[in-house]
Each structure stands twice: as structure tokens, then as C-alpha cells.
Amino acid sequence: MYARRRHAYFAMMGTCIALFVLAWGVVRLWSVPVAVGMCVVAMVIPPVAAMVANRRGPDDRWWDDPSGDSKSDEWWDELDGKRRPRQ
């Protein structure tokens, strides 16, 4: 899952850079308002790319990690119906 998110991030950021370069290198010669619109779209892409890259997927098992507090971990395991071997 990590590789898929990383590829999506780089694709989105590549699209962002391409939009900026095309807007001011090519499109502005025919239409400045369209070039500005392309830059507005490119401006929205980096925050969305960061959210895509940092979201947790269904295969990420972060909620099962022990917190380090044995009493709290035992309490949560009891609520979840899991039994953890005593250490």
C-alpha cells in the first residue's frame, strides 16, 4: 500500500509541475485567463497529494500496536475480546 500511495503522490506532484510549466510556457501565449486557471488548479494539487500520501490504508495495522502502558493495553485487549499472554 505504501508504494501505491507514493506513486500517486509523485504522479500528482508531476501533474502540478507540468501544469505550471505549460501554463506559463505555452498557454499564456494564447490565453492568460486559462493559464491563470491552470495555476489555480495546480495550486490545489499539493495539499491533496499530501493527504493522499499520508492517509492510512486498510492494510495499515496502526491500531493494534501496543501503547507501552501495560495496564491500558490489557484494558483495551479485554474490551476487544483478545487475550494477551501475561509477561
Side-chain angles (χ1 to χ4, degrees):
M1 291 302 287
Y2 174 71
R4 184 178 303 164
R5 289 192 309 252
R6 189 177 61 220
H7 288 217
Y9 174 79
F10 284 120
M12 292 174 80
M13 293 306 290
T15 302
C16 176
I17 291 171
L19 280 172
F20 273 119
V21 169
L22 286 174
W24 296 114
V26 179
V27 176
R28 73 170 171 87
L29 300 173
W30 288 280
S31 175
V32 171
V34 172
V36 170
M38 289 172 68
C39 285
V40 168
V41 170
M43 180 180 66
V44 173
I45 292 174
V48 173
M51 286 186 273
V52 167
N54 290 316
R55 72 181 169 92
R56 296 205 187 262
D59 293 339
D60 295 338
R61 304 292 295 191
W62 58 272
W63 61 87
D64 286 343
D65 292 341
S67 67
D69 179 14
S70 61
K71 188 168 183 126
S72 175
D73 290 338
E74 288 175 17
W75 184 76
W76 282 108
D77 287 343
E78 182 181 338
L79 285 178
D80 290 338
K82 293 190 270 184
R83 291 287 176 217
R84 184 176 277 204
R86 299 264 177 193
Q87 296 176 354

